[in-house]
PDB file of all heavy atoms in Angstrom:
ATOM      1  N   SER A 178     102.866  98.239-144.499  1.00 90.00           N
ATOM      2  CA  SER A 178     102.834  97.826-143.083  1.00 90.00           C
ATOM      3  C   SER A 178     104.200  97.422-142.547  1.00 90.00           C
ATOM      4  O   SER A 178     104.284  96.948-141.427  1.00 90.00           O
ATOM      5  CB  SER A 178     101.854  96.671-142.918  1.00 90.00           C
ATOM      6  OG  SER A 178     102.232  95.586-143.737  1.00 90.00           O
ATOM      7  N   SER A 179     105.248  97.644-143.317  1.00 82.00           N
ATOM      8  CA  SER A 179     106.579  97.199-142.891  1.00 82.00           C
ATOM      9  C   SER A 179     107.484  98.316-142.401  1.00 82.00           C
ATOM     10  O   SER A 179     108.687  98.160-142.357  1.00 82.00           O
ATOM     11  CB  SER A 179     107.286  96.491-144.078  1.00 82.00           C
ATOM     12  OG  SER A 179     106.499  95.396-144.509  1.00 82.00           O
ATOM     13  N   PHE A 180     106.898  99.462-142.038  1.00 73.00           N
ATOM     14  CA  PHE A 180     107.722 100.606-141.621  1.00 73.00           C
ATOM     15  C   PHE A 180     108.563 100.238-140.406  1.00 73.00           C
ATOM     16  O   PHE A 180     108.076  99.733-139.418  1.00 73.00           O
ATOM     17  CB  PHE A 180     106.798 101.787-141.286  1.00 73.00           C
ATOM     18  CG  PHE A 180     107.554 103.017-140.859  1.00 73.00           C
ATOM     19  CD1 PHE A 180     108.443 103.645-141.701  1.00 73.00           C
ATOM     20  CD2 PHE A 180     107.377 103.542-139.572  1.00 73.00           C
ATOM     21  CE1 PHE A 180     109.118 104.772-141.296  1.00 73.00           C
ATOM     22  CE2 PHE A 180     108.058 104.659-139.148  1.00 73.00           C
ATOM     23  CZ  PHE A 180     108.935 105.277-140.028  1.00 73.00           C
ATOM     24  N   ARG A 181     109.871 100.497-140.524  1.00 70.00           N
ATOM     25  CA  ARG A 181     110.794 100.129-139.477  1.00 70.00           C
ATOM     26  C   ARG A 181     111.278 101.345-138.666  1.00 70.00           C
ATOM     27  O   ARG A 181     112.107 101.204-137.767  1.00 70.00           O
ATOM     28  CB  ARG A 181     111.996  99.403-140.065  1.00 70.00           C
ATOM     29  CG  ARG A 181     111.603  98.044-140.639  1.00 70.00           C
ATOM     30  CD  ARG A 181     112.725  97.469-141.406  1.00 70.00           C
ATOM     31  NE  ARG A 181     112.918  98.313-142.595  1.00 70.00           N
ATOM     32  CZ  ARG A 181     113.344  97.909-143.765  1.00 70.00           C
ATOM     33  NH1 ARG A 181     113.687  96.668-143.927  1.00 70.00           N
ATOM     34  NH2 ARG A 181     113.485  98.741-144.768  1.00 70.00           N
ATOM     35  N   GLY A 182     110.807 102.530-139.029  1.00 64.00           N
ATOM     36  CA  GLY A 182     111.080 103.713-138.202  1.00 64.00           C
ATOM     37  C   GLY A 182     112.295 104.533-138.595  1.00 64.00           C
ATOM     38  O   GLY A 182     112.552 105.559-138.003  1.00 64.00           O
ATOM     39  N   ILE A 183     113.050 104.106-139.605  1.00 62.00           N
ATOM     40  CA  ILE A 183     114.242 104.870-139.999  1.00 62.00           C
ATOM     41  C   ILE A 183     113.995 105.426-141.392  1.00 62.00           C
ATOM     42  O   ILE A 183     114.263 104.785-142.404  1.00 62.00           O
ATOM     43  CB  ILE A 183     115.508 104.007-139.974  1.00 62.00           C
ATOM     44  CG1 ILE A 183     115.678 103.374-138.593  1.00 62.00           C
ATOM     45  CG2 ILE A 183     116.717 104.814-140.344  1.00 62.00           C
ATOM     46  CD1 ILE A 183     116.793 102.386-138.474  1.00 62.00           C
ATOM     47  N   VAL A 184     113.427 106.637-141.452  1.00 64.00           N
ATOM     48  CA  VAL A 184     113.033 107.210-142.760  1.00 64.00           C
ATOM     49  C   VAL A 184     114.221 107.667-143.589  1.00 64.00           C
ATOM     50  O   VAL A 184     114.084 107.874-144.770  1.00 64.00           O
ATOM     51  CB  VAL A 184     112.052 108.389-142.586  1.00 64.00           C
ATOM     52  CG1 VAL A 184     110.769 107.894-141.955  1.00 64.00           C
ATOM     53  CG2 VAL A 184     112.653 109.490-141.742  1.00 64.00           C
ATOM     54  N   LEU A 185     115.382 107.841-142.985  1.00 65.00           N
ATOM     55  CA  LEU A 185     116.538 108.254-143.746  1.00 65.00           C
ATOM     56  C   LEU A 185     117.334 107.107-144.322  1.00 65.00           C
ATOM     57  O   LEU A 185     118.344 107.314-144.980  1.00 65.00           O
ATOM     58  CB  LEU A 185     117.436 109.166-142.891  1.00 65.00           C
ATOM     59  CG  LEU A 185     116.786 110.471-142.411  1.00 65.00           C
ATOM     60  CD1 LEU A 185     117.751 111.262-141.553  1.00 65.00           C
ATOM     61  CD2 LEU A 185     116.315 111.284-143.600  1.00 65.00           C
ATOM     62  N   ALA A 186     116.902 105.886-144.096  1.00 69.00           N
ATOM     63  CA  ALA A 186     117.548 104.716-144.659  1.00 69.00           C
ATOM     64  C   ALA A 186     117.086 104.530-146.107  1.00 69.00           C
ATOM     65  O   ALA A 186     115.917 104.552-146.391  1.00 69.00           O
ATOM     66  CB  ALA A 186     117.231 103.490-143.848  1.00 69.00           C
ATOM     67  N   ALA A 187     118.053 104.358-147.020  1.00 77.00           N
ATOM     68  CA  ALA A 187     117.737 104.223-148.443  1.00 77.00           C
ATOM     69  C   ALA A 187     116.831 103.023-148.686  1.00 77.00           C
ATOM     70  O   ALA A 187     115.887 103.099-149.500  1.00 77.00           O
ATOM     71  CB  ALA A 187     119.019 104.098-149.262  1.00 77.00           C
ATOM     72  N   ASP A 188     117.070 101.913-147.978  1.00 85.00           N
ATOM     73  CA  ASP A 188     116.271 100.719-148.215  1.00 85.00           C
ATOM     74  C   ASP A 188     114.809 100.897-147.786  1.00 85.00           C
ATOM     75  O   ASP A 188     113.902 100.322-148.363  1.00 85.00           O
ATOM     76  CB  ASP A 188     116.878  99.485-147.582  1.00 85.00           C
ATOM     77  CG  ASP A 188     117.024  99.608-146.072  1.00 85.00           C
ATOM     78  OD1 ASP A 188     117.143 100.699-145.545  1.00 85.00           O
ATOM     79  OD2 ASP A 188     117.067  98.535-145.396  1.00 85.00           O
ATOM     80  N   GLU A 189     114.568 101.756-146.798  1.00 86.00           N
ATOM     81  CA  GLU A 189     113.206 102.044-146.375  1.00 86.00           C
ATOM     82  C   GLU A 189     112.439 102.788-147.469  1.00 86.00           C
ATOM     83  O   GLU A 189     111.307 102.431-147.802  1.00 86.00           O
ATOM     84  CB  GLU A 189     113.194 102.851-145.082  1.00 86.00           C
ATOM     85  CG  GLU A 189     111.801 103.056-144.487  1.00 86.00           C
ATOM     86  CD  GLU A 189     111.213 101.818-143.879  1.00 86.00           C
ATOM     87  OE1 GLU A 189     111.955 100.935-143.428  1.00 86.00           O
ATOM     88  OE2 GLU A 189     109.984 101.709-143.889  1.00 86.00           O
ATOM     89  N   GLY A 190     113.068 103.782-148.052  1.00 89.00           N
ATOM     90  CA  GLY A 190     112.463 104.515-149.162  1.00 89.00           C
ATOM     91  C   GLY A 190     112.183 103.613-150.362  1.00 89.00           C
ATOM     92  O   GLY A 190     111.101 103.699-150.973  1.00 89.00           O
ATOM     93  N   ILE A 191     113.096 102.743-150.679  1.00 92.00           N
ATOM     94  CA  ILE A 191     112.917 101.809-151.802  1.00 92.00           C
ATOM     95  C   ILE A 191     111.757 100.861-151.519  1.00 92.00           C
ATOM     96  O   ILE A 191     110.952 100.589-152.402  1.00 92.00           O
ATOM     97  CB  ILE A 191     114.213 101.042-152.088  1.00 92.00           C
ATOM     98  CG1 ILE A 191     115.289 102.009-152.624  1.00 92.00           C
ATOM     99  CG2 ILE A 191     114.004  99.884-153.044  1.00 92.00           C
ATOM    100  CD1 ILE A 191     116.703 101.438-152.645  1.00 92.00           C
ATOM    101  N   ALA A 192     111.661 100.406-150.286  1.00 92.00           N
ATOM    102  CA  ALA A 192     110.577  99.497-149.924  1.00 92.00           C
ATOM    103  C   ALA A 192     109.200 100.201-150.028  1.00 92.00           C
ATOM    104  O   ALA A 192     108.216  99.599-150.478  1.00 92.00           O
ATOM    105  CB  ALA A 192     110.775  98.939-148.539  1.00 92.00           C
ATOM    106  N   ILE A 193     109.142 101.457-149.607  1.00 93.00           N
ATOM    107  CA  ILE A 193     107.901 102.215-149.693  1.00 93.00           C
ATOM    108  C   ILE A 193     107.539 102.436-151.158  1.00 93.00           C
ATOM    109  O   ILE A 193     106.383 102.261-151.550  1.00 93.00           O
ATOM    110  CB  ILE A 193     108.020 103.546-148.944  1.00 93.00           C
ATOM    111  CG1 ILE A 193     108.071 103.273-147.427  1.00 93.00           C
ATOM    112  CG2 ILE A 193     106.884 104.495-149.281  1.00 93.00           C
ATOM    113  CD1 ILE A 193     108.423 104.488-146.554  1.00 93.00           C
ATOM    114  N   ALA A 194     108.505 102.806-151.982  1.00 95.00           N
ATOM    115  CA  ALA A 194     108.243 103.024-153.411  1.00 95.00           C
ATOM    116  C   ALA A 194     107.750 101.731-154.070  1.00 95.00           C
ATOM    117  O   ALA A 194     106.840 101.768-154.897  1.00 95.00           O
ATOM    118  CB  ALA A 194     109.481 103.541-154.125  1.00 95.00           C
ATOM    119  N   LYS A 195     108.331 100.613-153.669  1.00 95.00           N
ATOM    120  CA  LYS A 195     107.885  99.321-154.204  1.00 95.00           C
ATOM    121  C   LYS A 195     106.453  99.018-153.801  1.00 95.00           C
ATOM    122  O   LYS A 195     105.663  98.551-154.607  1.00 95.00           O
ATOM    123  CB  LYS A 195     108.835  98.214-153.780  1.00 95.00           C
ATOM    124  CG  LYS A 195     108.499  96.858-154.346  1.00 95.00           C
ATOM    125  CD  LYS A 195     109.530  95.808-153.928  1.00 95.00           C
ATOM    126  CE  LYS A 195     109.162  94.457-154.508  1.00 95.00           C
ATOM    127  NZ  LYS A 195     110.087  93.431-154.068  1.00 95.00           N
ATOM    128  N   ALA A 196     106.116  99.273-152.539  1.00 95.00           N
ATOM    129  CA  ALA A 196     104.765  99.030-152.069  1.00 95.00           C
ATOM    130  C   ALA A 196     103.764  99.955-152.750  1.00 95.00           C
ATOM    131  O   ALA A 196     102.651  99.548-153.065  1.00 95.00           O
ATOM    132  CB  ALA A 196     104.718  99.217-150.544  1.00 95.00           C
ATOM    133  N   LEU A 197     104.162 101.179-153.007  1.00 97.00           N
ATOM    134  CA  LEU A 197     103.305 102.153-153.695  1.00 97.00           C
ATOM    135  C   LEU A 197     103.003 101.673-155.110  1.00 97.00           C
ATOM    136  O   LEU A 197     101.882 101.771-155.599  1.00 97.00           O
ATOM    137  CB  LEU A 197     103.969 103.522-153.736  1.00 97.00           C
ATOM    138  CG  LEU A 197     103.216 104.624-154.507  1.00 97.00           C
ATOM    139  CD1 LEU A 197     101.890 104.960-153.869  1.00 97.00           C
ATOM    140  CD2 LEU A 197     104.133 105.861-154.613  1.00 97.00           C
ATOM    141  N   GLY A 198     104.023 101.108-155.773  1.00 97.00           N
ATOM    142  CA  GLY A 198     103.845 100.650-157.141  1.00 97.00           C
ATOM    143  C   GLY A 198     103.369 101.760-158.043  1.00 97.00           C
ATOM    144  O   GLY A 198     103.897 102.850-158.034  1.00 97.00           O
ATOM    145  N   GLN A 199     102.318 101.496-158.818  1.00 98.00           N
ATOM    146  CA  GLN A 199     101.762 102.499-159.735  1.00 98.00           C
ATOM    147  C   GLN A 199     100.574 103.252-159.143  1.00 98.00           C
ATOM    148  O   GLN A 199      99.883 103.964-159.861  1.00 98.00           O
ATOM    149  CB  GLN A 199     101.366 101.811-161.052  1.00 98.00           C
ATOM    150  CG  GLN A 199     102.542 101.231-161.837  1.00 98.00           C
ATOM    151  CD  GLN A 199     103.549 102.325-162.198  1.00 98.00           C
ATOM    152  OE1 GLN A 199     103.195 103.337-162.787  1.00 98.00           O
ATOM    153  NE2 GLN A 199     104.794 102.108-161.837  1.00 98.00           N
ATOM    154  N   LYS A 200     100.350 103.094-157.858  1.00 98.00           N
ATOM    155  CA  LYS A 200      99.207 103.740-157.215  1.00 98.00           C
ATOM    156  C   LYS A 200      99.500 105.206-156.904  1.00 98.00           C
ATOM    157  O   LYS A 200     100.649 105.626-156.927  1.00 98.00           O
ATOM    158  CB  LYS A 200      98.847 102.976-155.948  1.00 98.00           C
ATOM    159  CG  LYS A 200      98.407 101.544-156.261  1.00 98.00           C
ATOM    160  CD  LYS A 200      98.038 100.793-155.015  1.00 98.00           C
ATOM    161  CE  LYS A 200      97.700  99.346-155.223  1.00 98.00           C
ATOM    162  NZ  LYS A 200      96.911  98.959-156.317  1.00 98.00           N
ATOM    163  N   LYS A 201      98.442 105.983-156.624  1.00 98.00           N
ATOM    164  CA  LYS A 201      98.623 107.397-156.368  1.00 98.00           C
ATOM    165  C   LYS A 201      98.740 107.740-154.869  1.00 98.00           C
ATOM    166  O   LYS A 201      99.034 108.859-154.508  1.00 98.00           O
ATOM    167  CB  LYS A 201      97.484 108.211-156.982  1.00 98.00           C
ATOM    168  CG  LYS A 201      96.119 107.951-156.347  1.00 98.00           C
ATOM    169  CD  LYS A 201      95.044 108.819-157.010  1.00 98.00           C
ATOM    170  CE  LYS A 201      93.667 108.353-156.637  1.00 98.00           C
ATOM    171  NZ  LYS A 201      92.767 108.425-157.772  1.00 98.00           N
ATOM    172  N   ALA A 202      98.521 106.758-154.009  1.00 98.00           N
ATOM    173  CA  ALA A 202      98.573 107.031-152.572  1.00 98.00           C
ATOM    174  C   ALA A 202      99.010 105.807-151.794  1.00 98.00           C
ATOM    175  O   ALA A 202      98.861 104.674-152.259  1.00 98.00           O
ATOM    176  CB  ALA A 202      97.200 107.480-152.102  1.00 98.00           C
ATOM    177  N   ALA A 203      99.531 106.066-150.604  1.00 97.00           N
ATOM    178  CA  ALA A 203      99.917 104.995-149.709  1.00 97.00           C
ATOM    179  C   ALA A 203      99.665 105.386-148.272  1.00 97.00           C
ATOM    180  O   ALA A 203      99.846 106.551-147.900  1.00 97.00           O
ATOM    181  CB  ALA A 203     101.384 104.625-149.866  1.00 97.00           C
ATOM    182  N   LEU A 204      99.174 104.436-147.492  1.00 96.00           N
ATOM    183  CA  LEU A 204      99.056 104.571-146.061  1.00 96.00           C
ATOM    184  C   LEU A 204     100.270 103.925-145.452  1.00 96.00           C
ATOM    185  O   LEU A 204     100.516 102.716-145.649  1.00 96.00           O
ATOM    186  CB  LEU A 204      97.786 103.885-145.552  1.00 96.00           C
ATOM    187  CG  LEU A 204      96.466 104.333-146.188  1.00 96.00           C
ATOM    188  CD1 LEU A 204      95.339 103.390-145.784  1.00 96.00           C
ATOM    189  CD2 LEU A 204      96.157 105.746-145.791  1.00 96.00           C
TER     190      LEU A 204
END
């Protein structure tokens, strides 16, 4: 739920990967 709108920012990708954790899907 923390999407900031800049998908090309490295920190955004890292935050998404962290939120995904070991799960197979993310909204």
Side-chain angles (χ1 to χ4, degrees):
S178 59
S179 302
F180 180 62
R181 293 170 293 211
I183 305 174
V184 295
L185 297 179
D188 60 334
E189 186 71 28
I191 292 167
I193 290 171
K195 183 177 179 182
L197 176 66
Q199 295 300 307
K200 298 181 185 316
K201 67 180 166 218
L204 302 170

